């Protein structure tokens, strides 16, 4: 009976994805009409959507946005500096290096969405502008690649800090670290946003000896 129910749930999820409309309301309606429990149906739809690469949390053609976060959080109205792809990120890091900026703090944020069933992890590096304004460089990793944005505002207004530490990291060193994994493709199981963030957090030395080194689950 369990296998039959699982097969029915998966089939229903596939049918919904094939129609290109896996929005939260449609998932609830489809799960009810199929006689499936909502949570297993939701899980099946999420896994299948991720495997098929059709994802956006705002709905439309899938379940997740390209960075796993609402589209409104992608923009950077305060400074207008944002981009997608390694080349644009490298260009920005090189500009920061030419200004002799240093990242003084690194943190990993998590943001829950879709009924708090899925978390997206993002890296945030903080530095001071010449005006002493504290800036955040937020780096995201997803199936579509790397993207970034900068702002003097709260980098993740609806998110939570998973780990953080003081550091003294040069933009040039961060560029070198990113280049070291540039050819590594996104993998939902082995190299997703969580693995990406943990890797770079671990690569960044803590500024003060004896401080607590954060980790997931700490």
């Amino acid at each position: 009976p369990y296998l039959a129910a699982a097969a029915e749930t998966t089939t229903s999820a596939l049918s919904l994805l094939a129609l290109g409309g896996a929005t939260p309301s449609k998932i609830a309606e489809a799960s009810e009409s199929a006689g499936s429990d909502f949570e297993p149906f939701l899980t099946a739809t999420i896994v299948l959507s991720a495997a098929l690469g059709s994802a956006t949390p705002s709905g439309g053609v899938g379940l997740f946005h390209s960075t796993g976060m609402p589209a409104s959080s992608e923009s950077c109205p305060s400074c207008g500096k944002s981009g997608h792809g390694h080349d644009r990120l490298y260009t920005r890091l090189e500009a920061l290096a030419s200004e002799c900026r240093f990242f003084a703090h690194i943190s990993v944020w998590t943001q829950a969405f879709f009924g708090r069933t899925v978390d997206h992890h993002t890296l945030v590096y903080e530095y001071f502008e010449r005006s002493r304004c504290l800036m955040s460089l937020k780096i995201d990793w997803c199936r579509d690649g790397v993207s970034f944005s900068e702002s003097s505002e709260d980098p993740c207004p609806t998110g939570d800090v998973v780990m953080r530490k003081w550091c003294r990291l040069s933009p040039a060193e961060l560029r070198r670290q990113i280049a070291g994994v540039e050819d590594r493709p996104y993998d939902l199981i082995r190299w997703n946003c969580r693995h990406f963030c943990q890797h770079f957090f671990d690569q960044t030395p803590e500024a003060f000896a004896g401080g607590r080194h954060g980790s997931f689950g700490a």
Side-chain angles (χ1 to χ4, degrees), residues 37-188:
D37 291 336
F38 179 77
E39 289 300 330
F41 186 84
L42 173 62
T43 301
T45 310
I46 287 174
V47 171
L48 290 168
S49 181
L52 295 172
S54 59
T56 61
S58 56
V61 296
L63 289 175
F64 309 106
H65 188 267
S66 60
T67 61
M69 300 171 65
S72 60
S73 67
E74 295 291 314
S75 60
C76 181
S78 61
C79 64
K81 297 170 184 171
S82 63
H84 185 91
H86 288 88
D87 290 342
R88 293 189 67 178
L89 177 55
Y90 292 158
T91 298
R92 183 58 192 146
L93 290 174
E94 289 163 4
L96 289 174
S98 69
E99 299 170 5
C100 299
R101 303 295 103 195
F102 277 86
F103 298 113
H105 187 262
I106 178 176
S107 57
V108 175
W109 292 67
T110 182
Q111 180 166 341
F113 63 95
F114 208 79
R116 305 191 69 84
T117 58
V118 180
D119 286 333
H120 174 73
H121 295 78
T122 188
L123 278 169
V124 176
Y125 295 88
E126 294 179 319
Y127 68 95
F128 286 99
E129 286 276 25
R130 289 196 181 95
S131 62
R132 302 304 296 168
C133 174
L134 181 63
M135 297 292 295
S136 296
L137 172 67
K138 184 172 71 171
I139 301 178
D140 286 294
W141 172 246
C142 65
R143 187 177 298 277
D144 292 336
V146 68
S147 61
F148 72 95
S149 64
E150 284 180 278
S151 175
S152 59
E153 305 296 330
D154 188 335
C156 300
T158 61
D160 298 307
V161 178
V162 180
M163 63 180 78
R164 60 173 49 174
K165 61 184 173 184
W166 296 104
C167 63
R168 183 171 172 77
L169 181 70
S170 70
E173 172 59 19
L174 177 56
R175 187 192 189 289
R176 185 194 67 77
Q177 292 178 6
I178 295 173
V181 295
E182 180 178 353
D183 295 330
R184 190 170 181 180
Y186 179 89
D187 187 302
L188 183 64

